[in-house]
Amino acid sequence: MIDIQNVVKRFKSNKQEITAVDHVSLSIKKGEIFGVIGYSGAGKSTLIRMINLLETPTEGKVILDGTDLSALSTKALRQKRQKIGMIFQHFNLLWSRTVKENIMFPLEIAGVPKAKREQRAQELIRLVELDGKEDQYPSQLSGGQKQRVGIARALANDPHVLLCDEATSALDPKTTDSILDLLKEINRRLGLTIVLITHEMHVIRKICDRVAVMEGGRVVEVGDVTDIFQRPQQEITKRFVQQVTKSDEILSAAADWQVDQGWVVECRFMGEVAGKPVISQLIRQFDIEVNILQGKISRLKDSSYGTLVIQVTGEEAEIKRAIGHLKSLGVGVEVLAS
């Protein structure tokens, strides 16, 4: 669907050359929700803007549906862009136009007859659940409602791809979840390929199938979200996972635990094993005692992810056998103190 081939983007600033994106290659499948996560300055916004050539790559290619976008004429690129919708952090709505008029605007530019513009706008208003708001202006809407207008407008030309540039960063947590649920439903109903960038692992956890982690203009890790949560490889990826699992809080609390009386172990559960009575089985099977110190279960897009911190006491050899058993069940295990 989308093939990003060794793209580089350099900017000149104060006679200096800055490399914002540094030889990035990604392949995004048709119909998936693909996330790109990184801190400010990682290059993720520049990367997503190169997918529709709002930024032209200094080097490399962006291929959409088999077409090299950089090889297109201005007219052909404009037509191709009609099949790439985009939503933004700060909505970018036309404040002098109503909800319906904002949604119809891309169709007006594309030369669609008024009757069809009206019909399409009403379909999209129902899709994003803004019934009754069509004649209101952006200033009369909440942040979440404004973003729903932005989503409807981005869908006006029936695009194949939807790009989301920090689309929930300006929203409160409850509204963020409602927008993410809407994007997930749009992906399910329309089969739309969604590419989103964010600095929040909660967003990745909730709706993405796969994720690429960016740092310093490069992609340092990429994979299925479940694999990234269970086995993060890079330090920056581990920090992002900790946004959701709160391992940093666990470690900071370790000083309060009586580690001299046993081992403190963090267990990470993914999928089916998250719902099984693993700890009770462990106590029955091995000559150890287990004290639960802290735990949390989170939902990924299509599965569960849980963390549990336990204090295990007993003979060292028996503790090691118990840990080995947990690993054999597919539980991620990290010894925090022993």
Side-chain angles (χ1 to χ4, degrees):
M1 179 64 178
I2 303 172
D3 284 313
I4 300 170
Q5 299 181 356
N6 207 30
V7 296
V8 177
K9 183 62 181 181
R10 300 188 184 96
F11 296 99
K12 288 187 178 179
S13 176
N14 297 326
K15 298 182 180 179
Q16 289 184 328
E17 191 172 73
I18 298 171
T19 302
V21 176
D22 190 1
H23 295 93
V24 167
S25 294
L26 289 171
S27 181
I28 299 169
K29 302 171 188 174
K30 180 178 175 61
E32 77 174 332
I33 303 179
F34 190 94
V36 179
I37 191 168
Y39 292 115
S40 179
K44 58 190 187 297
S45 289
T46 303
L47 178 65
I48 201 171
R49 288 170 64 85
M50 284 194 287
I51 293 177
N52 59 2
L53 253 63
L54 288 178
E55 294 287 356
T56 304
T58 308
E59 299 175 21
K61 296 180 180 180
V62 177
I63 298 175
L64 178 64
D65 283 335
T67 301
D68 181 357
L69 297 186
S70 60
L72 296 177
S73 66
T74 301
K75 180 180 179 181
L77 178 59
R78 187 163 56 245
Q79 291 174 338
K80 196 72 172 177
R81 278 181 178 151
Q82 290 181 2
K83 295 302 178 182
I84 308 173
M86 192 164 188
I87 58 176
F88 305 89
Q89 178 179 358
H90 297 297
F91 321 125
N92 288 16
L93 301 179
L94 300 170
W95 297 92
S96 61
R97 295 199 178 204
T98 65
V99 166
K100 184 169 65 176
E101 289 168 344
N102 264 281
I103 296 170
M104 291 193 299
F105 184 62
L107 299 172
E108 183 181 330
I109 293 173
V112 176
K114 185 175 181 181
K116 289 188 176 180
R117 295 202 303 264
E118 294 265 0
Q119 180 182 353
R120 180 63 173 155
Q122 286 302 139
E123 291 172 356
L124 291 169
I125 285 168
R126 287 193 295 271
L127 178 65
V128 301
E129 300 176 354
L130 285 177
D131 304 80
K133 303 287 185 183
E134 47 265 77
D135 295 323
Q136 293 190 2
Y137 289 88
S139 61
Q140 298 173 284
L141 304 177
S142 67
Q145 290 169 339
K146 290 172 189 172
Q147 195 57 283
R148 287 173 184 268
V149 177
I151 292 169
R153 182 185 59 186
L155 297 176
N157 278 311
D158 195 21
H160 301 153
V161 176
L162 180 62
L163 306 179
C164 307
D165 187 357
E166 295 276 10
T168 60
S169 295
L171 306 175
D172 62 77
K174 184 177 180 180
T175 306
T176 290
D177 281 346
S178 72
I179 294 298
L180 294 177
D181 287 338
L182 175 60
L183 290 173
K184 194 161 52 172
E185 178 65 10
I186 288 169
N187 169 259
R188 186 188 68 81
R189 288 176 60 177
L190 306 181
L192 199 64
T193 302
I194 298 178
V195 183
L196 62 86
I197 65 167
T198 182
H199 61 273
E200 299 171 303
M201 201 63 179
H202 168 74
V203 173
I204 301 296
R205 179 198 77 183
K206 189 171 178 67
I207 70 168
C208 290
D209 301 299
R210 290 193 301 141
V211 60
V213 182
M214 289 193 72
E215 184 177 31
R218 291 180 173 269
V219 170
V220 297
E221 192 164 352
V222 61
D224 292 344
V225 170
T226 52
D227 291 339
I228 292 292
F229 264 79
Q230 198 162 20
R231 291 177 290 275
Q233 300 299 309
Q234 303 297 321
E235 284 303 315
I236 186 171
T237 311
K238 293 175 182 178
R239 291 200 298 273
F240 278 123
V241 170
Q242 287 171 7
Q243 288 183 2
V244 178
T245 62
K246 304 296 184 184
S247 293
D248 52 345
E249 293 181 6
I250 290 169
L251 290 170
S252 66
D256 298 328
W257 298 330
Q258 297 177 341
V259 297
D260 57 319
Q261 296 182 13
W263 291 26
V264 176
V265 178
E266 181 182 11
C267 304
R268 297 182 297 275
F269 303 86
M270 182 68 70
E272 290 184 5
V273 73
K276 294 182 178 179
V278 173
I279 299 302
S280 61
Q281 292 173 5
L282 201 69
I283 296 169
R284 289 197 300 267
Q285 190 167 343
F286 298 92
D287 187 19
I288 57 171
E289 291 186 358
V290 175
N291 180 28
I292 296 175
L293 302 175
Q294 189 171 344
K296 181 178 182 179
I297 295 179
S298 303
R299 285 290 302 172
L300 302 183
K301 183 186 177 186
D302 297 313
S303 62
S304 298
Y305 178 87
T307 56
L308 189 67
V309 181
I310 58 176
Q311 183 180 40
V312 186
T313 56
E315 295 292 331
E316 181 175 337
E318 193 71 356
I319 293 174
K320 288 181 177 179
R321 286 184 60 225
I323 289 174
H325 178 70
L326 286 174
K327 291 179 178 178
S328 73
L329 296 174
V331 177
V333 178
E334 181 180 355
V335 177
L336 303 181
S338 61

